[in-house]
Amino acid sequence: MREVILVGLNHRTAPLEIREKVSFHEGDLDRYLKALQDLPSVVEGLILSTCNRVEVYAATRDSERGVDEIKSFLAHQHHLPLSEFEDTLYIFQGEEVVRHIFRVASSLDSMVVGEPQILGQLKSAYRVAHATRATGTLLNRLLHRTFSVAKRVRTETRIGNRAVSVSFVAVELAKKIFGHLEGRDVLIIGAGEMCELAAQHLRRGGTNRVLVTNRTWERAMELAERFHGEAIPFTEFTNSLLRVDIVISSTGSPDYILRKEDISKIIKERRNRPLFFIDIAVPRDIDPQVNSIDNVYLYDIDDLQEVAEANIKDRQQEAQRAEEIVATEVTKFCRWYQSLDVVPTIVSLREKLEEIRKKELERTLSSLPRLSEKERKALDALTAAIVKKILHGPVTLLKETSQDSEGDLYVDVVKKLFRLDEE
Amino acid sequence: MNVFFFKITLAFYLGGTVAYLIYILFSYKRAAWVGKFLLGFGFISHCLVLTFRYIEAGHPPVVNLHESLSFFAWAIVGAFLLLHHRYRVDVVGTFASSLATLLVIWAAALPKDVIPLPPSLQSYWLPIHATFAFAGNAIFALAFCAGVVYLIQERLVKSKRVGNLSQRLPSLGILDEINYRSLTIGFPLLTVGIVTGAVWAQYAWGSYWSWDPKETWSLITWLLYAALLHQRLAVGWRGKKAAIMSIVGFGAVLFTFLGVNLLLKGLHSYAEWFR
């Protein structure tokens, strides 16, 4: 029976220099997959290569030999001596592989737990492997199961729900306030990395125009160009508060540049259309009292940081729940996998048919009480021969294919055809 | 038949409410989905209840308190299902289904006898007047639910506690939009309800308006919503103030519907109350 193995390394076991060297170029994946399948012990293969991990999954005829072959495959393909990265490799077999791939897809093994990219990367790795026919029954089944486990984790836990970086928290808040960001305009006061990051995320979230103001006009122009926005003279930015919905402020001013009175007046002129201020300047740019005005929301850098930290804590809790889901799914998958063993299937197939034969024979015999002992024996032999003949084909096929990539498929089909699981 | 379906309806509404409560308390997403389905089935069964009752009584089932409560609950659930079709606001469902369930439980505790309608009230104005009035009230009930959720969410966002609870509540923008939409739909319905009531009164009692407590309180309710609509359109009220107003307005709706009959006497008191 084939066993699934995994040879890989990730951001925890290997430094970047090694990950770079061992990673597979996406465009050449099909070639690598072919080479992987050419290894004598490997029946099915899958290569997952991202900036944080390189993992080779395989279904093998012999797992020990398979591991060695894959190790030298990695060294050979990247023209590296194996000794250079052998210590950074982790090797899993059977149930451990199932657990690992479920955890990877559910983003429990990621650098930032809960980040969603890894699932997409795994899906595209599988797409390539499937297209080049590198995967067979075992890996296909495993990967499909993996995707549904990842989906279950997504829907049943909040693992990926919450922003964990300050700039994403700002976007999340904007959505919480406005509902959607389409058509909302943003004003950036001052400059700074955080400011730009938040503006970029907002833009990706769907905001409309970006206005930029800065004490130095050139800087404002420069930023406006980068965001395809509009530069506004610093002396006039209060007027533009009538036009925008979200304000990101980060100037070096020692005093508040916006006071409660200013905003009260503006909000009245805006006919109470909500305004969201994100003040990431230290010292702060906006009077904290502004938050007490109806329809005005103000978050400073500490507020954002606090939300981000709370979200991280929440994710860790959710990761616990996700691990539980993964654990039950691993048990389920392994039970299915073990059921694919050929020998018990043949035994239960024989038992089932024998049972049917006995029952039917008894019924017939009891309705024919005048048969002689010899005739009874003949009937018994006849039915036994029929069953044997019927069984001959399927049993030979099961035995023959038990080492092929399709063996499990036949076992599965036979079990379904004869309803061997329903007892 | 009628009683049987009434029990089924109650069971579905109760189930739906429990599911929605599980959703909001334990943030279990599937519960909201289950809740919506249970409410949907409850609504279908409720439609059957009303139909059977109509056939049995020979007049629209909005005459005694049992019938009115049941009809109001039906209208609220119907309005919520429509709203849910447009906005994905499961949390409003928690409040709407609780409200409807409470009304149905109350209705269940009341005598269910069919009361013969006095000849003076037998008119096709009855279904028209009742339908418009209840439709308006049901929509205001949704505005009330959205208002309550708005106030909770606003508090959370202002005080910077945007944790799990806030995550499950709809955004302030959507909630305010629901408030506005309900107002623009509910207000005309209420207006038509009052006008048709007046016309009917003219036929039945010979006078359009007789300052009976029910009429007075409907007018007060109407004025409250008119004020809110005016403030929204003319002054740009929105958000918290509008939410509070829609909660106050719904208080007036409830008082007009129930309080007047329970506490004050007048032409509208539909026979015996608690028996």
Side-chain angles (χ1 to χ4, degrees):
Chain A
M1 184 170 176
R2 278 170 294 129
E3 191 172 36
V4 53
I5 57 167
L6 159 65
V7 178
L9 47 83
N10 67 15
H11 54 93
R12 263 191 296 275
T13 65
L16 184 59
E17 307 88 75
I18 289 189
R19 298 205 304 271
E20 291 174 331
K21 282 185 196 159
V22 181
S23 78
F24 291 92
H25 184 253
E26 213 187 321
D28 297 329
L29 257 187
D30 46 347
R31 192 168 56 76
Y32 292 123
L33 282 164
K34 286 235 167 63
L36 176 65
Q37 261 194 305
D38 285 341
L39 300 178
S41 311
V42 173
V43 187
E44 305 172 32
L46 173 85
I47 298 174
L48 173 67
S49 177
T50 74
C51 48
N52 283 332
R53 66 181 70 242
V54 176
E55 292 180 341
V56 178
Y57 293 85
T60 55
R61 292 193 181 85
D62 178 332
S63 51
E64 311 259 307
R65 292 221 318 259
V67 168
D68 291 337
E69 284 168 18
I70 290 171
K71 276 186 187 171
S72 45
F73 163 81
L74 283 172
H76 180 73
Q77 294 295 334
H78 297 105
H79 312 290
L80 287 169
L82 182 58
S83 56
E84 196 173 313
F85 63 93
E86 196 171 9
D87 315 342
T88 64
L89 292 175
Y90 44 82
I91 288 145
F92 294 133
Q93 291 182 10
E95 190 176 329
E96 297 164 350
V97 180
V98 177
R99 182 182 318 279
H100 183 80
I101 196 171
F102 285 2
R103 293 188 72 244
V104 167
S106 314
S107 190
L108 288 167
D109 197 48
S110 303
M111 194 130 81
V112 179
V113 170
E115 56 91 19
Q117 286 98 311
I118 184 66
L119 182 58
Q121 288 161 336
L122 187 59
K123 276 185 177 163
S124 73
Y126 173 62
R127 213 173 300 128
V128 176
H130 188 69
T132 52
R133 294 170 184 275
T135 57
T137 350
L138 185 51
L139 284 188
N140 283 341
R141 186 72 177 241
L142 176 60
L143 268 292
H144 286 154
R145 196 75 227 146
T146 303
F147 298 142
S148 78
V149 170
K151 191 177 170 207
R152 205 183 140 199
V153 167
R154 289 266 138 194
T155 47
E156 290 181 23
T157 71
R158 297 183 303 260
I159 191 160
N161 274 9
R162 312 271 297 271
V164 289
S165 73
V166 166
S167 45
F168 267 119
V169 167
V171 176
E172 205 174 72
L173 281 167
K175 284 190 183 148
K176 196 97 280 186
I177 291 165
F178 296 107
H180 52 83
L181 299 181
E182 281 82 25
R184 306 287 167 190
D185 296 337
V186 183
L187 170 67
I188 300 176
I189 308 173
E193 196 191 339
M194 197 90 93
C195 233
E196 286 179 37
L197 214 56
Q200 259 164 21
H201 287 324
L202 282 170
R203 216 183 154 73
R204 226 168 286 148
T207 53
N208 189 20
R209 290 150 56 81
V210 177
L211 311 186
V212 185
T213 186
N214 199 296
R215 276 189 216 275
T216 31
W217 178 242
E218 286 71 33
R219 186 89 177 95
M221 294 280 277
E222 192 189 309
L223 274 176
E225 201 163 312
R226 185 157 353 141
F227 291 117
H228 308 285
E230 186 185 330
I232 289 181
F234 193 77
T235 45
E236 285 166 29
F237 84 83
T238 16
N239 289 330
S240 62
L241 288 179
L242 293 173
R243 293 164 53 194
V244 301
D245 306 284
I246 299 164
V247 179
I248 309 171
S249 185
S250 166
T251 72
S253 161
D255 298 317
Y256 297 145
I257 58 169
L258 282 167
R259 299 185 174 280
K260 192 180 173 189
E261 305 83 70
D262 311 329
I263 311 288
S264 293
K265 230 170 65 199
I266 283 160
I267 204 78
K268 226 168 257 149
E269 272 182 77
R270 288 172 62 89
R271 294 168 51 94
N272 295 313
R273 277 183 301 119
L275 253 178
F276 177 31
F277 289 99
I278 303 160
D279 183 359
I280 43 191
V282 180
R284 286 179 288 187
D285 280 343
I286 302 165
D287 184 355
Q289 287 298 311
V290 162
N291 193 44
S292 63
I293 305 171
D294 268 356
N295 298 308
V296 177
Y297 305 89
L298 167 66
Y299 275 69
D300 64 34
I301 186 72
D302 277 6
D303 297 332
L304 294 173
Q305 214 115 46
E306 240 165 74
V307 173
E309 266 157 37
N311 287 356
I312 289 172
K313 220 173 269 167
D314 186 70
R315 265 196 190 187
Q316 283 159 353
Q317 267 173 23
E318 289 304 295
Q320 276 305 314
R321 288 177 53 200
E323 295 281 6
E324 282 160 28
I325 293 175
V326 165
T328 56
E329 292 287 345
V330 168
T331 323
K332 259 199 243 165
F333 186 83
C334 291
R335 203 178 303 142
W336 170 80
Y337 180 64
Q338 275 150 16
S339 76
L340 292 188
D341 206 352
V342 180
V343 181
T345 308
I346 294 174
V347 170
S348 60
L349 181 60
R350 284 217 171 99
E351 277 168 359
K352 174 114 183 191
L353 293 198
E354 182 61 18
E355 191 190 322
I356 295 172
R357 185 184 78 87
K358 283 236 171 80
K359 210 189 269 168
E360 296 302 314
L361 185 66
E362 244 163 63
R363 196 187 295 171
T364 310
L365 289 181
S366 63
S367 68
L368 298 169
R370 271 174 292 183
L371 288 185
S372 71
E373 190 58 26
K374 200 177 153 197
E375 284 164 327
R376 284 170 178 264
K377 280 221 169 106
L379 269 182
D380 186 66
L382 166 73
T383 50
I386 292 175
V387 165
K388 205 175 157 198
K389 283 265 155 66
I390 291 175
L391 272 174
H392 179 71
V395 168
T396 353
L397 183 77
L398 282 176
K399 281 182 181 161
E400 275 170 10
T401 54
S402 66
Q403 289 305 315
D404 295 0
S405 67
E406 301 215 295
D408 303 339
L409 180 68
Y410 287 115
V411 173
D412 209 22
V413 168
V414 165
K415 287 180 109 103
K416 283 196 181 116
L417 278 177
F418 292 95
R419 307 192 169 208
L420 294 183
D421 289 331
E422 296 168 20
E423 269 146 61
Chain B
M1 215 44 180
N2 177 12
V3 177
F4 169 72
F5 277 111
F6 188 79
K7 280 181 186 153
I8 298 269
T9 307
L10 178 55
F12 272 125
Y13 285 176
L14 263 178
T17 307
V18 169
Y20 270 119
L21 284 173
I22 288 173
Y23 165 70
I24 195 165
L25 294 178
F26 304 108
S27 119
Y28 189 61
K29 284 185 203 160
R30 270 187 212 167
W33 185 82
V34 172
K36 191 185 79 180
F37 267 86
L38 290 177
L39 272 194
F41 285 127
F43 184 72
I44 294 168
S45 147
H46 208 160
C47 290
L48 293 174
V49 172
L50 296 178
T51 314
F52 286 133
R53 184 96 191 177
Y54 196 156
I55 295 167
E56 191 186 339
H59 57 75
V62 284
V63 175
N64 66 15
L65 185 60
H66 164 76
E67 292 171 343
S68 306
L69 287 169
S70 164
F71 192 77
F72 192 23
W74 174 81
I76 290 173
V77 174
F80 168 71
L81 292 175
L82 279 177
L83 173 86
H84 193 280
H85 191 68
R86 175 82 175 71
Y87 303 96
R88 306 263 317 129
V89 280
D90 292 317
V91 173
V92 176
T94 311
F95 289 86
S97 62
S98 311
L99 189 58
T101 307
L102 285 178
L103 291 173
V104 173
I105 290 174
W106 188 1
L110 290 170
K112 298 173 191 61
D113 320 333
V114 172
I115 292 159
L117 204 55
S120 67
L121 294 184
Q122 283 172 9
S123 152
Y124 54 84
W125 286 107
L126 169 61
I128 298 175
H129 166 62
T131 305
F132 277 106
F134 277 113
N137 287 352
I139 286 175
F140 289 142
L142 289 187
F144 161 79
C145 296
V148 173
V149 180
Y150 184 97
L151 291 185
I152 298 170
Q153 178 74 299
E154 201 252 6
R155 198 84 302 274
L156 292 173
V157 175
K158 280 267 186 192
S159 60
K160 288 145 197 183
R161 285 175 302 176
V162 283
N164 288 327
L165 180 57
S166 165
Q167 204 66 24
R168 257 164 286 154
L169 304 183
S171 68
L172 293 170
I174 299 277
L175 289 167
D176 192 54
E177 195 179 321
I178 293 174
N179 181 293
Y180 176 66
R181 286 278 153 81
S182 323
L183 196 60
T184 51
I185 298 169
F187 187 71
L189 289 173
L190 178 66
T191 311
V192 175
I194 291 176
V195 171
T196 52
V199 174
W200 184 24
Q202 163 67 17
Y203 282 110
W205 300 315
S207 124
Y208 285 104
W209 198 267
S210 39
W211 297 106
D212 136 89
K214 192 101 179 175
E215 292 169 357
T216 314
W217 275 93
S218 322
L219 188 64
I220 292 171
T221 309
W222 187 85
L223 286 173
L224 276 172
Y225 282 108
L228 174 55
L229 192 60
H230 174 266
Q231 291 301 88
R232 272 205 90 112
L233 296 176
V235 191
W237 265 25
R238 55 162 78 217
K240 197 170 163 186
K241 277 184 188 148
I244 291 172
M245 262 311 255
S246 63
I247 292 169
V248 172
F250 189 65
V253 165
L254 281 187
F255 191 78
T256 311
F257 175 44
L258 301 169
V260 170
N261 296 86
L262 298 178
L263 306 172
L264 313 166
K265 277 272 164 240
L267 295 168
H268 273 77
S269 36
Y270 340 91
E272 294 83 15
W273 287 83
F274 298 98
R275 201 167 40 178

